[in-house]
Amino acid sequence: MFDPTIIIAAAALTGLLIVAAAMLRGWHDWLELKRSELEGHSGPRAEEGSSMGAARIEIADLKERIKKLEAIASGVDL
């Protein structure tokens, strides 16, 4: 009744539509995530706690850089 080529083409088109719909849904959810991050409602990352640990690491890194620059300025080879 139906030509096998038409059946294969219809199945391929149906599969393509399903994949395209899934990718569109993923794109929409990703955009919503980025919007919420920009608004400051970061969602899953809000449970990580405060950023005091990151600030301490950054301060320690800056202190280390200052020590290296002072050593370079005084002529000490590290």
Side-chain angles (χ1 to χ4, degrees):
M1 183 171 186
F2 290 108
D3 188 26
T5 308
I6 294 175
I7 295 173
I8 292 173
L13 183 60
T14 303
L16 182 65
L17 288 175
I18 290 170
V19 169
M23 290 179 70
L24 183 63
R25 177 67 182 181
W27 175 253
H28 175 69
D29 290 343
W30 184 81
L31 285 177
E32 188 62 34
L33 173 68
K34 293 301 174 183
R35 280 190 194 110
S36 67
E37 285 178 356
L38 287 174
E39 291 173 356
H41 307 258
S42 60
R45 299 189 74 194
E47 297 173 0
E48 289 180 6
S50 68
S51 61
M52 291 297 292
R56 288 181 184 164
I57 292 172
E58 188 173 344
I59 289 172
D61 184 45
L62 290 174
K63 287 181 181 178
E64 185 178 336
R65 287 183 180 186
I66 290 171
K67 286 181 184 177
K68 286 182 182 180
L69 289 173
E70 286 175 346
I72 291 171
S74 67
V76 176
D77 189 23
L78 296 176

